[in-house]
Amino acid sequence: MPRIQNINPAEVRKPGFIEFGKIPVNQYNKPIDEEKNNFTNEDFIRIYHDMVIIREFETMLNLIKTTNEYRGVPYNHPGPAHLSIGQEASAVGMAYNLDTDDFIFGSHRSHGEILAKGLSAIHKLEENTLYEVMKNYFGGAALKVVEKGFTGSIKEVAKHFLLYGALAEIFARENGFNKGLGGSMHAFFTPFGIYPNNAIVGGSGDISVGAALYKKINGKPGIVVCNIGDASMGCGPVWEGIAFATMDQYKTLWEGEYKGGLPLIFNFMNNLYGMGGQTMGETMGYGILARIGAGVNPEMMHSERIDGYNPLAVIDAFQRKKEILREKKGPVLLDTLTYRISGHSPSDASSYRSREEVEAWQKEDSIIAFGDKLAGAGIAGSSVLGQIRDEAGELMTHILKLAVNDEVSPRLNLQKYPDAIGGMMFSNQSVDKMENRTPEVLLPLEENPRVKSLKNKERFYKDKEGKPVSKARLFQLRDGIFEAIIDRFYKDPTLAAWGEENRDWGGAFAVYRGLTEALPYHRLFNSPISEGAIVGTAIGYGMCGGRVLAEIMYCDFLGRSGDEVFNQLPKWQAMSGNIIKMPVVIRVSVGSKYGAQHSQDWSSLVAHIPGLKVVFPATPYDAKGLMNSALQGTDPVIFFESQRLYDTGEMFHLTGVPEEYYEIPLGEPDIKRTGDDLTILTIGATLYPAIKAADILSNDYGINAEIIDARTLVPFNYEPVIESVKKTGRILLSSDASSRGSFLKEMAHTITELAFDYLDAPPVVVGSRNWIIPAHEMEDYFFPQPEWIVDAVHEKIIPLKGHVSKTGISALSTLILNREGV
Ligand SMILES: Cc1ncc(C[n+]2csc(CCOP(=O)(O)OP(=O)(O)O)c2C)c(N)n1
Ligand SMILES: [Mg+2]
């Protein structure tokens, strides 16, 4: 516990200097004769071969893009092809010593890395294992294509399989590694340890940290390599990923076998450019990228610049750095200097660099230079090397023909199966635990102080005499969430939770109080204030096979994790062709009392993104049941909680909140009160003002409202709502989100479509104002109040006899406010 790490003022106030050590720059200088002790002739030739294969693969793509033809095979590929011609030595050197247990992540420019890692895996795997992998991948579909009529060895078949799977993926064919749903910038193949490549620059910067956490927390073998571009050093997720990966606590607070640094290499494939911006000299200030390591931690991230034009220098570096990771002294930063001779994409006119520069690098071409070295050292003569190049050309022609043949390599048939992609958005599984082993905990559940104290709480808001239970004795909404979470920690050994102030503080708003006593550091820890990386690492952890619960303290901070929540978390299941599961629950609390930047309900933003499930319970019973379901599932769930409801007791489920485990399926709204005259559909905390409004409507105007609590936004079963509308003919929708563009508007529209014939009036939305959120003392003018609902019913649905509106809600005000944009 940090409490045991006293910070002594006398110590930290002492004068002194920070001293930086030396960061090696291009220090590799072993002559080839010396390397003969480390590599056989076969090894040397394999390195050359793998570089040639990558070069030919990308040359083929370049020609297809620029001339619509390769060696007489015509094809038009409209999609992207970000080529890395020139960078082959860095890819092959990186992959050479990695095992299939070692995972690589990449960028939009990762074809070379995929092929290098794939070829390395093929070399290392036993033939039987290799064959099983190919046979089991999507029912052996790609294997059948490459195997047909081929008589070579299993390793040769596997080479064809690798090239075909990658190319079919780039061409969006169903036999591709990800069913053609990933494409050029995202292709990957997990059985060979090739994890997602990311079209968002810097996207892998925090996801790969999550993968390294997965390995560390679950005692898995292997390391993680985050291959990433030099220009991504300007991206938030990369800096946040580095901060997350270098936290002191791994070395100071994590215990036993978990103590020590992350098994992770940030490998910057430094080709000196972004698209057209030159990093060294223009868009960045680091001079030599490796310098960054010096500022991060006392180990300077074992940072080093290596010559990525020499495969042997890269292999040497990875071997040394792997040793550092094995000693648990990671992570490591590598600045792998290389150059892309090809343009950013085939349409790039290279107007941002001079011809002399490109020619100078071409002169030092890594493949030619390495070939010369092999020839000079008597390892392989020009005929051997020439044969490798010729064979690569023939092989590529063969693979290209297979990949462009619509009969052999069709696309997903969306004509016949229009919902095929829809069926891949979620995995929809129900899984108790992601792995079968005993969860590590610090004490038996029954001995947990909070679990014990909850035994004495009243699980319904009124006691037997009908008197309201005091807050101190009441089982509250936060307790419901806690019970679901602690239960899962004792069930699923892979479950880990992180976020800001998650540990001793007790988590935001005391939801996690009691967890610190129960869980070792590696299962519950404080993160840096890095909302992007909190989610990004959760994604990496989830996609490797662990279950994770991450917390964003305030909904307003979701903006800080925008890319992770909008672009990464929702997309990888479908983009993988359903190879990946994403058992990631993100808790987001909607604030109050803290003004404009701490009180927004942004549920509509996440509900808009395909691929996320979105939940917003308003009662303790629902909170526990829905959290149980979220944690039982294998899909990403954004779990909204309202800070205004954390201390509420259960008012609706008459037998109170059960002590035992139960699930409430995601997507089922709940009728909280029945009525015949009007339906009120609420999301989140407006359930309670709606109840008050319903009381006014019934007591003063004889209108009985049926109140439905949505509980979930995505998925959502409209049937109970439509049934209610059939009965009442009227519906009002209310939530705390600002009304413009809110999810209520989406629901109102869908209800209109589905129940138009039953409606006596249009669905009416009562949301919050389209303002900044004012101070607590003025909040009643911002969030929907019972009177607003009554006025809206009167003005827009059914005139209430004798009622006089006081809140200014009217059709006219709707017109004016929209005109003014507020
Ligand atoms: C977040 C984001 N911003 C911008 C782009 C457009 N873009 C694609 S590649 C690229 C340059 C990336 O440079 P670097 O990270 O050095 O990788 P390299 O292309 O050199 O391999 C840019 C700006 C993007 N894909 N993602
Ligand atoms: Mg670059």
Side-chain angles (χ1 to χ4, degrees), residues 350-406:
S350 280
S351 53
Y352 50 87
R353 53 184 181 177
S354 69
R355 183 178 294 187
E356 297 93 282
E357 181 185 292
V358 180
E359 282 172 2
W361 285 89
Q362 253 170 331
K363 240 191 203 159
E364 305 203 358
D365 186 299
S366 58
I367 298 181
I368 298 173
F370 191 63
D372 290 348
K373 203 178 275 180
L374 298 193
I379 294 166
S382 59
S383 65
V384 173
L385 302 179
Q387 192 182 341
I388 289 173
R389 291 195 300 274
D390 291 346
E391 283 175 4
E394 280 157 31
L395 175 57
M396 233 45 79
T397 317
H398 173 64
I399 297 295
L400 176 65
K401 282 183 184 161
L402 291 177
V404 301
N405 181 329
D406 290 338

Coordinates of all heavy atoms in Angstrom, one line a residue, residues 350-406:
S350 N 6.0 12.1 -53.1 CA 7.3 12.4 -52.4 C 7.8 13.8 -52.5 O 9.0 14.1 -52.6 CB 8.4 11.4 -52.8 OG 8.2 10.2 -52.2
S351 N 6.8 14.7 -52.6 CA 7.2 16.2 -52.8 C 7.9 16.8 -51.6 O 8.4 17.8 -51.6 CB 5.9 17.0 -53.1 OG 5.0 16.7 -52.1
Y352 N 7.8 16.0 -50.5 CA 8.4 16.5 -49.2 C 9.8 16.1 -49.0 O 10.4 16.5 -48.0 CB 7.5 16.0 -48.0 CG 7.3 14.5 -48.1 CD1 8.2 13.6 -47.5 CD2 6.2 14.0 -48.8 CE1 8.1 12.3 -47.7 CE2 6.0 12.6 -48.9 CZ 7.0 11.8 -48.3 OH 6.8 10.4 -48.5
R353 N 10.4 15.4 -49.9 CA 11.8 15.0 -49.7 C 12.5 15.1 -51.1 O 11.9 15.0 -52.2 CB 11.9 13.6 -49.1 CG 11.1 12.5 -49.8 CD 11.2 11.2 -49.1 NE 10.4 10.2 -49.8 CZ 10.4 8.9 -49.5 NH1 10.9 8.5 -48.4 NH2 9.7 8.0 -50.2
S354 N 13.8 15.2 -51.0 CA 14.5 15.4 -52.3 C 14.9 14.1 -52.9 O 15.0 13.0 -52.2 CB 15.8 16.2 -52.0 OG 16.7 15.3 -51.2
R355 N 15.1 14.1 -54.2 CA 15.5 12.9 -54.9 C 16.9 12.4 -54.4 O 17.1 11.2 -54.2 CB 15.6 13.2 -56.4 CG 15.9 11.9 -57.2 CD 16.0 12.2 -58.6 NE 14.6 12.5 -59.2 CZ 14.4 12.7 -60.5 NH1 15.3 12.5 -61.3 NH2 13.2 12.9 -60.9
E356 N 17.8 13.4 -54.1 CA 19.1 13.0 -53.6 C 19.0 12.1 -52.3 O 19.7 11.1 -52.2 CB 20.0 14.2 -53.3 CG 20.3 15.1 -54.4 CD 19.3 16.2 -54.5 OE1 18.2 16.0 -55.1 OE2 19.6 17.4 -54.1
E357 N 18.1 12.6 -51.5 CA 17.9 11.9 -50.2 C 17.5 10.4 -50.5 O 18.1 9.5 -49.9 CB 16.9 12.6 -49.3 CG 16.7 11.9 -48.0 CD 15.7 12.5 -47.1 OE1 15.9 13.6 -46.6 OE2 14.6 11.9 -46.9
V358 N 16.4 10.3 -51.3 CA 15.9 8.9 -51.5 C 17.0 8.1 -52.2 O 17.2 6.9 -51.8 CB 14.6 9.0 -52.4 CG1 14.1 7.6 -52.7 CG2 13.5 9.8 -51.8
E359 N 17.7 8.7 -53.1 CA 18.8 7.9 -53.8 C 19.9 7.5 -52.9 O 20.4 6.4 -53.0 CB 19.3 8.7 -55.0 CG 18.4 8.7 -56.2 CD 18.8 9.6 -57.3 OE1 19.8 10.3 -57.2 OE2 18.0 9.7 -58.3
A360 N 20.2 8.4 -52.0 CA 21.3 8.1 -51.0 C 20.9 6.8 -50.2 O 21.7 6.0 -49.9 CB 21.5 9.3 -50.1
W361 N 19.6 6.8 -49.8 CA 19.2 5.6 -49.0 C 19.0 4.4 -49.8 O 19.3 3.3 -49.4 CB 17.8 6.0 -48.3 CG 18.0 6.9 -47.1 CD1 18.0 8.2 -47.1 CD2 18.3 6.5 -45.7 NE1 18.2 8.7 -45.8 CE2 18.4 7.7 -45.0 CE3 18.4 5.3 -45.1 CZ2 18.6 7.7 -43.6 CZ3 18.7 5.3 -43.7 CH2 18.8 6.5 -43.0
Q362 N 18.6 4.6 -51.1 CA 18.5 3.5 -52.0 C 19.9 2.8 -52.2 O 20.0 1.6 -52.3 CB 18.0 3.9 -53.3 CG 16.5 3.5 -53.5 CD 15.9 4.1 -54.7 OE1 16.2 5.3 -55.1 NE2 14.9 3.5 -55.3
K363 N 20.9 3.7 -52.3 CA 22.2 3.2 -52.5 C 22.7 2.2 -51.4 O 23.5 1.4 -51.5 CB 23.2 4.4 -52.5 CG 23.9 4.6 -53.7 CD 25.0 5.6 -53.5 CE 25.5 6.2 -54.8 NZ 26.1 7.5 -54.6
E364 N 22.1 2.5 -50.2 CA 22.5 1.7 -49.0 C 21.4 0.6 -48.8 O 21.4 0.0 -47.7 CB 22.6 2.6 -47.8 CG 23.6 3.7 -48.0 CD 24.2 4.2 -46.7 OE1 23.8 3.8 -45.6 OE2 25.0 5.1 -46.9
D365 N 20.6 0.3 -49.8 CA 19.5 -0.6 -49.7 C 19.9 -1.8 -48.8 O 20.9 -2.5 -49.1 CB 19.1 -1.1 -51.1 CG 17.9 -2.0 -51.0 OD1 17.9 -3.1 -50.4 OD2 16.9 -1.6 -51.6
S366 N 19.1 -2.1 -47.8 CA 19.5 -3.2 -46.8 C 19.6 -4.5 -47.4 O 20.4 -5.4 -47.0 CB 18.5 -3.1 -45.7 OG 17.2 -3.4 -46.1
I367 N 18.7 -4.8 -48.4 CA 18.7 -6.2 -49.0 C 20.0 -6.4 -49.8 O 20.7 -7.4 -49.7 CB 17.4 -6.5 -49.8 CG1 16.2 -6.4 -48.9 CG2 17.5 -7.8 -50.4 CD1 14.9 -6.6 -49.5
I368 N 20.3 -5.4 -50.7 CA 21.5 -5.5 -51.5 C 22.7 -5.5 -50.6 O 23.6 -6.4 -50.8 CB 21.6 -4.2 -52.5 CG1 20.3 -4.2 -53.4 CG2 22.9 -4.3 -53.3 CD1 20.2 -3.0 -54.3
A369 N 22.7 -4.6 -49.6 CA 23.9 -4.6 -48.7 C 24.1 -5.9 -48.0 O 25.2 -6.5 -47.9 CB 23.8 -3.5 -47.7
F370 N 23.0 -6.5 -47.6 CA 23.1 -7.8 -46.8 C 23.6 -8.9 -47.8 O 24.4 -9.8 -47.4 CB 21.8 -8.1 -46.1 CG 21.9 -9.2 -45.1 CD1 22.7 -9.1 -44.0 CD2 21.2 -10.4 -45.4 CE1 22.8 -10.2 -43.1 CE2 21.3 -11.5 -44.4 CZ 22.1 -11.4 -43.3
G371 N 23.0 -8.9 -49.0 CA 23.4 -9.9 -50.0 C 24.9 -9.8 -50.3 O 25.6 -10.8 -50.3
D372 N 25.3 -8.6 -50.4 CA 26.8 -8.4 -50.7 C 27.6 -8.9 -49.6 O 28.7 -9.5 -49.8 CB 27.1 -6.9 -50.9 CG 26.5 -6.4 -52.2 OD1 26.1 -7.2 -53.0 OD2 26.4 -5.1 -52.4
K373 N 27.1 -8.7 -48.4 CA 27.8 -9.1 -47.2 C 27.9 -10.7 -47.2 O 29.0 -11.3 -46.9 CB 27.1 -8.7 -45.9 CG 28.0 -8.6 -44.7 CD 27.3 -8.0 -43.5 CE 27.3 -6.5 -43.5 NZ 26.5 -6.0 -42.3
L374 N 26.8 -11.3 -47.5 CA 26.8 -12.8 -47.5 C 27.7 -13.3 -48.6 O 28.5 -14.3 -48.4 CB 25.4 -13.3 -47.8 CG 24.3 -13.0 -46.7 CD1 23.1 -13.8 -46.9 CD2 24.8 -13.2 -45.3
A375 N 27.7 -12.6 -49.8 CA 28.5 -13.1 -50.9 C 30.0 -12.9 -50.5 O 30.8 -13.8 -50.6 CB 28.2 -12.3 -52.1
G376 N 30.3 -11.7 -49.9 CA 31.7 -11.3 -49.5 C 32.2 -12.3 -48.5 O 33.4 -12.6 -48.5
A377 N 31.4 -12.8 -47.6 CA 31.8 -13.7 -46.6 C 31.8 -15.2 -47.0 O 32.0 -16.1 -46.2 CB 31.0 -13.5 -45.3
G378 N 31.4 -15.4 -48.3 CA 31.4 -16.8 -48.8 C 30.2 -17.6 -48.2 O 30.3 -18.8 -48.2
I379 N 29.2 -16.9 -47.8 CA 28.0 -17.6 -47.3 C 27.1 -18.0 -48.4 O 26.5 -19.1 -48.4 CB 27.3 -16.7 -46.2 CG1 28.3 -16.5 -45.0 CG2 26.0 -17.4 -45.7 CD1 27.9 -15.4 -44.1
A380 N 26.9 -17.1 -49.3 CA 26.0 -17.4 -50.4 C 26.4 -16.7 -51.7 O 26.6 -15.4 -51.6 CB 24.5 -17.1 -50.1
G381 N 26.5 -17.3 -52.7 CA 26.9 -16.7 -54.0 C 25.8 -16.0 -54.7 O 24.6 -16.2 -54.3
S382 N 26.1 -15.3 -55.7 CA 25.0 -14.5 -56.4 C 24.0 -15.4 -57.0 O 22.8 -15.0 -57.1 CB 25.6 -13.6 -57.4 OG 26.3 -14.4 -58.4
S383 N 24.3 -16.6 -57.4 CA 23.3 -17.5 -58.0 C 22.3 -17.9 -56.9 O 21.1 -18.0 -57.2 CB 23.9 -18.7 -58.7 OG 24.5 -19.5 -57.7
V384 N 22.8 -18.3 -55.7 CA 21.8 -18.6 -54.6 C 20.9 -17.5 -54.3 O 19.7 -17.6 -54.2 CB 22.6 -19.0 -53.4 CG1 21.7 -19.3 -52.2 CG2 23.5 -20.3 -53.6
L385 N 21.5 -16.3 -54.2 CA 20.7 -15.1 -53.9 C 19.7 -14.8 -55.0 O 18.5 -14.5 -54.8 CB 21.6 -13.9 -53.5 CG 22.6 -14.2 -52.4 CD1 23.4 -12.9 -52.2 CD2 21.9 -14.5 -51.1
G386 N 20.2 -14.9 -56.2 CA 19.3 -14.6 -57.4 C 18.2 -15.6 -57.4 O 17.0 -15.2 -57.7
Q387 N 18.5 -16.9 -57.1 CA 17.4 -17.9 -57.1 C 16.3 -17.5 -56.1 O 15.1 -17.7 -56.3 CB 18.0 -19.2 -56.8 CG 17.0 -20.4 -57.1 CD 17.6 -21.7 -56.8 OE1 18.8 -21.9 -56.6 NE2 16.8 -22.7 -56.6
I388 N 16.8 -17.1 -54.9 CA 15.8 -16.7 -53.9 C 14.9 -15.6 -54.4 O 13.7 -15.6 -54.2 CB 16.5 -16.2 -52.6 CG1 17.2 -17.4 -51.9 CG2 15.6 -15.5 -51.6 CD1 18.1 -17.1 -50.8
R389 N 15.5 -14.6 -55.1 CA 14.7 -13.5 -55.6 C 13.7 -14.0 -56.7 O 12.6 -13.6 -56.7 CB 15.6 -12.4 -56.2 CG 16.4 -11.7 -55.1 CD 17.0 -10.4 -55.5 NE 17.9 -10.6 -56.7 CZ 19.2 -10.9 -56.5 NH1 19.8 -11.0 -55.3 NH2 20.0 -11.0 -57.6
D390 N 14.2 -14.8 -57.6 CA 13.4 -15.4 -58.7 C 12.2 -16.1 -58.1 O 11.0 -16.0 -58.5 CB 14.2 -16.3 -59.6 CG 15.2 -15.5 -60.4 OD1 15.1 -14.2 -60.4 OD2 16.1 -16.1 -61.0
E391 N 12.5 -17.0 -57.1 CA 11.4 -17.8 -56.6 C 10.4 -16.9 -55.9 O 9.2 -17.2 -55.9 CB 12.0 -18.8 -55.6 CG 12.7 -20.0 -56.3 CD 13.4 -21.0 -55.3 OE1 13.3 -20.8 -54.1 OE2 14.0 -21.9 -55.9
A392 N 10.9 -15.9 -55.3 CA 9.9 -15.0 -54.6 C 9.0 -14.4 -55.6 O 7.8 -14.3 -55.3 CB 10.7 -13.9 -53.8
G393 N 9.5 -14.0 -56.8 CA 8.6 -13.4 -57.8 C 7.6 -14.4 -58.3 O 6.4 -14.1 -58.4
E394 N 8.0 -15.7 -58.5 CA 7.1 -16.7 -58.9 C 6.0 -17.0 -57.9 O 4.9 -17.1 -58.2 CB 7.9 -18.0 -59.3 CG 8.5 -17.9 -60.7 CD 9.7 -18.9 -60.8 OE1 9.7 -20.0 -60.1 OE2 10.6 -18.5 -61.5
L395 N 6.5 -17.1 -56.7 CA 5.6 -17.4 -55.6 C 4.5 -16.3 -55.5 O 3.3 -16.5 -55.3 CB 6.4 -17.5 -54.2 CG 5.6 -17.7 -53.0 CD1 4.7 -18.9 -53.0 CD2 6.5 -17.8 -51.8
M396 N 5.0 -15.0 -55.6 CA 4.0 -13.9 -55.4 C 3.0 -13.9 -56.5 O 1.8 -13.7 -56.3 CB 4.8 -12.6 -55.4 CG 4.5 -11.7 -54.2 SD 4.5 -12.6 -52.6 CE 6.2 -12.7 -52.3
T397 N 3.5 -14.3 -57.7 CA 2.5 -14.4 -58.9 C 1.4 -15.5 -58.6 O 0.3 -15.2 -58.8 CB 3.3 -14.8 -60.2 OG1 4.5 -14.0 -60.2 CG2 2.4 -14.5 -61.4
H398 N 1.9 -16.6 -58.1 CA 1.0 -17.7 -57.8 C 0.0 -17.3 -56.7 O -1.2 -17.5 -56.8 CB 1.8 -18.9 -57.3 CG 1.0 -20.0 -56.7 ND1 0.2 -20.7 -57.5 CD2 1.0 -20.5 -55.5 CE1 -0.4 -21.7 -56.7 NE2 0.1 -21.6 -55.5
I399 N 0.5 -16.6 -55.6 CA -0.4 -16.2 -54.5 C -1.4 -15.1 -55.0 O -2.6 -15.1 -54.7 CB 0.4 -15.7 -53.3 CG1 1.3 -16.8 -52.8 CG2 -0.4 -15.1 -52.2 CD1 0.6 -18.0 -52.1
L400 N -0.9 -14.2 -55.8 CA -1.7 -13.2 -56.3 C -2.9 -13.7 -57.1 O -4.0 -13.4 -57.0 CB -0.9 -12.2 -57.2 CG -1.7 -11.1 -57.8 CD1 -2.3 -10.1 -56.8 CD2 -0.8 -10.2 -58.8
K401 N -2.5 -14.7 -58.0 CA -3.6 -15.3 -58.8 C -4.7 -15.9 -57.9 O -5.9 -15.8 -58.2 CB -3.0 -16.4 -59.7 CG -2.3 -15.8 -60.9 CD -1.7 -16.9 -61.8 CE -0.9 -16.4 -63.0 NZ -0.1 -17.4 -63.6
L402 N -4.2 -16.6 -56.9 CA -5.2 -17.2 -56.0 C -6.1 -16.2 -55.3 O -7.3 -16.3 -55.1 CB -4.5 -18.0 -54.9 CG -3.8 -19.3 -55.3 CD1 -3.1 -20.0 -54.1 CD2 -4.8 -20.3 -55.9
A403 N -5.4 -15.1 -54.9 CA -6.1 -14.1 -54.0 C -7.1 -13.2 -54.9 O -8.1 -12.7 -54.3 CB -5.1 -13.2 -53.3
V404 N -6.9 -13.1 -56.1 CA -7.8 -12.2 -56.9 C -8.8 -13.1 -57.7 O -9.7 -12.5 -58.3 CB -7.0 -11.4 -58.0 CG1 -6.0 -10.5 -57.3 CG2 -6.3 -12.2 -59.0
N405 N -8.7 -14.4 -57.5 CA -9.7 -15.2 -58.2 C -11.0 -15.3 -57.4 O -11.1 -15.8 -56.3 CB -9.1 -16.6 -58.3 CG -10.0 -17.6 -59.0 OD1 -11.2 -17.5 -58.9 ND2 -9.4 -18.5 -59.7
D406 N -12.1 -14.7 -58.0 CA -13.3 -14.5 -57.2 C -13.9 -15.9 -56.8 O -14.7 -16.0 -55.8 CB -14.3 -13.7 -58.0 CG -13.9 -12.3 -58.1 OD1 -13.1 -11.8 -57.2 OD2 -14.4 -11.6 -59.0

